[in-house]
Amino acid sequence: SLYYDSKDLTAYTDKVNGVNNRDKFRIRSYDTDEKNVTKLKVEMKSKKAQYVYKVSNNISYSDYKFFVKKKFFKEINGLAVELFLYNFYKYNLEPATLVEYDREAYYSKKDNVRFTFDHNVKYASGTNFFLPPKNFKFCYKNAIIFEIKYFQNDIDWLSNLINTHGLRSEPNSKYTKSVEHTVNNIWK
């Protein structure tokens, strides 16, 4: 994921400062080899009070390359692309950091619950996709980020699973970590 932010890193500082209403923009590829890329996703992830939601649209790789050169898309094919462009110009967004990881995802058919395990999370300073591996630095060495995403609160089996295994909610933002490890050169 290539994250976009303002020069003064508004999305980053809003997250760190706990601002209740905030937006984050990224363009995501599911391929790490440029030769295999056919499409990407333009995404806006928003937090409004305790609610988090995401809108996304697919774009072609050729349209992304066009955007990199011309700063607009040949085709505006959805809300996420419209919001991305609006904010891109309004806040002078620019590429801030690149985040890569391997993801295993599992879905509950009945309750619309999603479990994800993110491995090999790494970050790089960069303004485009497909940087050489030497540009990346690993974070969460030998760790796995486990996320549970659900859209209703009364799922008994999920509550039992969480309580039985003593799971707890912890804030985690791959984008925030990437800024702290690349843009500000803060390694802890």
Side-chain angles (χ1 to χ4, degrees):
S1 297
L2 183 60
Y3 287 87
Y4 285 74
D5 207 338
S6 61
K7 285 191 187 307
D8 60 352
L9 300 172
T10 301
Y12 168 78
T13 54
D14 283 355
K15 168 66 176 167
V16 169
N17 293 329
V19 173
N20 266 332
N21 297 324
R22 60 184 186 259
D23 300 314
K24 185 169 41 181
F25 296 92
R26 64 187 172 207
I27 298 179
R28 178 175 275 187
S29 171
Y30 292 97
D31 291 298
T32 55
D33 186 345
E34 187 171 10
K35 291 177 273 190
N36 298 330
V37 176
T38 56
K39 67 178 182 178
L40 301 122
K41 282 188 181 264
V42 174
E43 297 181 344
M44 181 185 83
K45 190 171 183 181
S46 294
K47 182 178 189 306
K48 306 295 181 212
Q50 74 269 25
Y51 299 103
V52 177
Y53 64 93
K54 179 171 65 173
V55 293
S56 66
N57 296 115
N58 291 330
I59 59 168
S60 68
Y61 185 50
S62 64
D63 205 12
Y64 166 73
K65 291 195 299 189
F66 184 87
F67 169 76
V68 169
K69 288 181 184 168
K70 304 285 187 179
K71 305 302 179 220
F72 64 93
F73 294 100
K74 289 184 274 188
E75 297 179 34
I76 298 177
N77 60 351
L79 180 61
V81 174
E82 289 178 27
L83 291 168
F84 178 89
L85 283 175
Y86 174 79
N87 286 278
F88 180 81
Y89 290 114
K90 182 175 182 180
Y91 299 109
N92 296 311
L93 300 182
E94 56 188 32
T97 62
L98 185 62
V99 178
E100 283 187 8
Y101 52 91
D102 300 320
R103 171 167 280 178
E104 293 176 63
Y106 302 92
Y107 302 88
S108 160
K109 293 179 183 176
K110 179 182 174 191
D111 300 308
N112 199 20
V113 177
R114 186 173 82 161
F115 299 90
T116 58
F117 299 87
D118 295 339
H119 311 257
N120 303 317
V121 179
K122 54 192 174 210
Y123 309 115
S125 293
T127 58
N128 60 350
F129 290 104
F130 316 115
L131 297 174
K134 67 180 173 98
N135 290 46
F136 287 90
K137 295 181 180 179
F138 281 90
C139 188
Y140 307 112
K141 200 76 166 174
N142 301 316
I144 298 171
I145 299 170
F146 173 53
E147 295 178 349
I148 303 172
K149 296 180 181 170
Y150 54 94
F151 302 97
Q152 62 190 62
N153 290 325
D154 57 347
I155 305 172
D156 291 335
W157 68 266
L158 182 58
S159 297
N160 289 338
L161 178 76
I162 291 168
N163 292 332
T164 299
H165 295 284
L167 302 176
R168 64 187 187 283
S169 177
E170 292 184 11
N172 178 56
S173 167
K174 292 178 198 80
Y175 174 62
T176 300
K177 293 287 187 194
S178 71
V179 169
E180 291 169 354
H181 287 78
T182 59
V183 175
N184 296 334
N185 292 316
I186 300 171
W187 281 88
K188 297 177 181 170

